[in-house]
Amino acid sequence: MTGTRFTVGLTGGIGSGKSAVARLFAERGVDIVDTDRIARGLTAPHGAAMPAVLAAFGDGFADAAGALDRAKMRALVFADPAAKRRLEGILHPMIRDAVLAESLLGTGPYVIFDIPLLVESGTWKSRVDRVLVVDCPEALQLERVIARNGLPEAQVQAIMAAQAPRQVRLAAADDIVDNGGAIAALPPQIERLHSRYLICAEGKVRND
Ligand SMILES: CC(C)(COP(=O)(O)OP(=O)(O)OC[C@H]1O[C@@H](n2cnc3c(N)ncnc32)[C@H](O)[C@@H]1O)[C@@H](O)C(=O)NCCC(=O)NCCS
Ligand SMILES: Nc1ncnc2c1ncn2[C@@H]1O[C@H](COP(=O)(O)OP(=O)(O)OP(=O)(O)O)[C@@H](O)[C@H]1O
């Protein structure tokens, strides 16, 4: 990637700790572009994707306020790969455009794209300078998501089955954050990575 700021693609399976890691970079002044946040905005009441989503899936997928009924859509797409492809076909191009637009706005030393599906989607790898994977054992992902969302174990398993396996994601990593331990183990790892990324960002500015 040339002509843009140094960009890190942050990824990891559901519940691996991407948001916790992104927060620590944000505290250090790094710009974060979060695709889950963008996707939620697109499917909020009057969100830009809602007309296309309802045309494809039916008005029954909107709640009373006109937002996406997320629980209903979650139950559908993680049980029906064709429906998942249809939803992604609507949302992913809109998410991609919004990410690239938002990345131009920040003023931090570099930018992190928080993209759960970076490894799966194929389109992002060439748009980031480094891939940072947040890793933890799958049993911990399961435990943390159930504790956070109260989702049934089978539904979390279905979401994990729709994502790249841990080893495939790790094979795509330039850098890895180990989140298999306590939250307190994160800051020293983020501090080390941040120091290195600042040097990379500086180098990129000089070479541009
Ligand atoms: C299916 C939806 C409605 C479920 O909403 P819900 O509020 O339960 O989940 P939320 O959006 O907070 O996502 C939570 C996590 O689910 C996983 N996930 C979401 N979408 C997908 C997907 N298409 N494939 C695999 N995993 C996914 C990610 O790990 C994500 O971090 C929602 O995730 C959605 O609109 N997904 C399609 C858009 C998409 O692919 N988003 C991923 C970021 S690009
Ligand atoms: N090291 C840890 N120890 C205990 N709990 C943790 C740890 N890291 C994260 N968590 C908790 O696990 C849950 C998932 O973490 P987080 O939301 O950061 O993951 P995520 O990868 O962003 O998830 P998603 O893919 O669903 O957006 C949160 O409730 C978070 O507080």
Side-chain angles (χ1 to χ4, degrees):
M1 281 229 319
T2 56
T4 53
R5 280 186 301 166
F6 179 70
T7 304
V8 176
L10 170 66
T11 194
I14 185 166
S16 56
K18 293 177 301 300
S19 304
V21 166
R23 258 193 307 279
L24 291 168
F25 280 105
E27 285 169 10
R28 288 161 175 77
V30 179
D31 293 317
I32 309 293
V33 181
D34 177 345
T35 54
D36 278 341
R37 172 177 51 74
I38 288 172
R40 281 193 287 270
L42 289 167
T43 52
H46 311 295
M50 283 311 290
V53 169
L54 298 184
F57 291 92
D59 289 344
F61 280 84
D63 66 16
L68 179 64
D69 183 333
R70 307 186 73 79
K72 188 169 174 183
M73 186 60 87
R74 190 194 315 121
L76 174 68
V77 297
F78 293 111
D80 178 349
K84 186 161 91 70
R85 279 195 297 275
R86 206 166 355 126
L87 180 67
E88 292 175 347
I90 296 167
L91 291 179
H92 285 187
M94 298 177 90
I95 293 170
R96 191 183 55 234
D97 290 351
V99 168
L100 298 177
E102 196 176 316
S103 72
L104 301 175
L105 301 177
T107 53
Y110 62 95
V111 58
I112 290 183
F113 294 173
D114 179 345
I115 309 176
L117 303 181
L118 187 149
V119 169
E120 292 84 344
S121 82
T123 58
W124 285 109
K125 247 200 126 190
S126 64
R127 294 179 188 269
V128 299
D129 295 295
R130 281 188 90 75
V131 174
L132 172 58
V133 169
V134 185
D135 178 62
C136 74
E138 283 154 356
L140 275 183
Q141 283 178 253
L142 197 60
E143 195 180 286
R144 289 172 183 170
V145 174
I146 291 170
R148 183 189 59 189
N149 296 7
L151 294 182
E153 177 169 342
Q155 195 166 56
V156 185
Q157 296 272 22
I159 297 173
M160 287 171 63
Q163 301 186 341
R166 185 179 180 194
Q167 292 311 323
V168 170
R169 199 178 290 108
L170 284 172
D174 296 306
D175 304 306
I176 296 168
V177 173
D178 174 3
N179 193 26
I183 281 276
L186 291 178
Q189 298 184 69
I190 301 317
E191 196 52 50
R192 264 196 305 279
L193 287 164
H194 180 55
S195 304
R196 287 190 9 227
Y197 292 158
L198 283 175
I199 294 168
C200 296
E202 186 60 32
K204 184 154 184 175
V205 169
R206 264 203 308 277
N207 290 333
D208 259 8

